[in-house]
Amino acid sequence: MQLACVRVRGKDRRSGLILTIPLCTEQTSMEELSATLDYLLSIPSEKCKARGFTVIVDGRKSPWTVVKTVVLMLQNVIPAEVSLVCVVKPDEFWDKKVTHFCFWKEKDRLGFEVILVSANKLTRYIEPCQLTDEFGGSLQYDHMDWVSKRLVFEKFTKESTSLLDELAIINENERAGQPDKARPPDCNVLPSFDPETVLQTGHELLSELQQRRFNGSEGGGGGGGVGGVTAWSPMDDELLAQPQVMKLLDSLREQYTKYQEVCRQRSRRSQLEEIQAKVMQVVNWLEGPGTEQLRTQWGIGDSIRASQALQLKHEEIESQHSEWFAVYVELNQQMAALLNAGDEDDLAELKTLQQQLSDVCYRQASQLEFRQNVLQSAHEFHSTAQDLSQQLDGLLGMLCADVAPADGAAIQQTLKHLEEKLKSVEGALQVLREKGQGLLDQMSNQSSWFYGKDVPVENKENIDHIHSVMEDMQLRKQRCEDMVDVRRLKMLQMVQLFKCEEDASQAVEWLTELLDALLKTHVRLGDDTQETKVLLEKHRKFVDVAQSTYDYGRQLLQATVVLCQSLRCTTRSSGDTLPRLNRVWKQFTVTADERQHRLEMASAFHAAAQRVLREGSEQVELLDSEVFEEVETVGKSLLDRLTVPVIFPDGSEQFFGSPGDMASSAENIRDKLKLAEDKRLQQEEAEHLEEEAALEVGPEES
């Protein structure tokens, strides 16, 4: 007999439970049946069992001997609880006499009534609504569903009870303050069953039981009863299971809440211990290897390359520190989260750890930053020193190079470039002093981050190097300044030299221009004596200007000689300027003398012609022939002079003015010569007439 066959379902007219035992043709195990009955009878409450049981033995598929054995076994299993045993007989009934006599005979000894009834007559004793369809009733019942739900209930009860015991032990040990190390970790932290899963199973089971109760209550309200017995309602096992499940769930939730708090506390302690270990790991590294790395890095290098190498080394150190600083950030966030949780027991310890870690990390970060600043300042100092050295080398190269400028403007440009170079050097030196002083100030504070280590020797080397570089640059700059002063003086003298040469060349040009003007524009000889005198006076002044220009050029050329001797150099222009000046001057003097001579001849010609050609006045006496001869002689000489070119000392020739100018002057002279000739002819004619008149008078008188 299996559990799937025997069931407790429905109620009789006394409100007692109905126990149905279906028998089959197979061999029935009394031991299994007894165990099954014991289990089923353990489910209802004592109050329910006190109302008695009605047992239905379905013997339609079993022999009478088996039915008899089962009925007799009920006496041993549930004699006090059984009120009535209904044996459902098959269509082909057993021997009535034997069976009836047997049960009647055993009635007093059995303690309960046994009746034989057909399946269709069973409703005489039990309401149809309390019978399943196999006995002609209307009770809806799925035995396999009940079995599965019962198994779920049993499983939940077993797991929750075991879980409650484990959680209670864990919580009690935690409350008693037993160290975690004294308990097995698997038992302490992880129970045998997952509390969440067990709680979920319990809630689902409770929901199912409550739903079945609700459905059963509604079904019971719709059916009628007989003899005061109501229609079917949920069995006591289901009604009893609900408070059991609810009680287990409440206890489990309570213990699980405590367990969660225990786990939270353990997790917090574990997290705190882990944080403390990591904090000490960070602190020990920073105060140990990290600090030692910084202590060994004290130099600043003696060049840009050396300072760059130190910076690269420092970047490696910073990279190693960054990994630990990242751990610090993570730990700080974890500690901040724990502090925000507000656990009073750990607040003081957490704050102490956080403060210790922050102090060490900030101090180490400050040391790294200070070292980085020192190296950066050292790199800038060496970079500035290198730039200044290059500027000084360039300036020195300019000062050592020979000066061969083309002219004074080039000298001025070179001098301006030198001044700009020197000014740039002075600015760079000032920047070097500022950066050097800043670096010295940083070096003076360097010992403050060495944790008390005495570093005067190391700093002294760095300080001596900084002073040495600045002093060396100052000396080099001073030497360049002295050389610039010498070069400036020399260039100023060269400027004067070029100026003198330029002015001397200008004097030659001016003198050439005067000569050209004398030849091309000073061609008039005047129309009379007065005008010729005016021209003579202008010519003398013109010659004086030329003389002053020539004297100025000579003085400038003498100055160039003195400057060349001072500069120990030969000029490129003064060598031919003096011959040019002398050549032009000689040409000018020759031309001026010729011009002077011509003007004087013109003045004499005009004076003689004026005596001959007096207008508006009667000549009392006749002019001598010498006067006419003088006019003619001077006039012809002047005309001849006008046709003769000026011959320079080098043999070259040059005419005054243009041919037209000379023709105009000659025409004026010829006109006067013609007038003088006409005057002479008139005088001769007058003399001839006088002589004829005298001859005529003489014979008459005689």
Side-chain angles (χ1 to χ4, degrees), residues 6 64 125 243 292 433 520 572 600 697:
V6 184
W64 166 249
Y125 305 97
E292 188 61 29
R433 292 195 189 100
K520 293 181 179 180
R572 295 166 296 177
E600 289 175 353
V697 173

Side-chain angles (χ1 to χ4, degrees), residues 383-409:
S383 178
T384 304
Q386 180 173 305
D387 292 342
L388 177 57
S389 179
Q390 292 175 352
Q391 292 185 35
L392 288 170
D393 291 340
L395 180 58
L396 184 61
M398 289 182 61
L399 294 171
C400 293
D402 293 335
V403 180
D407 52 25

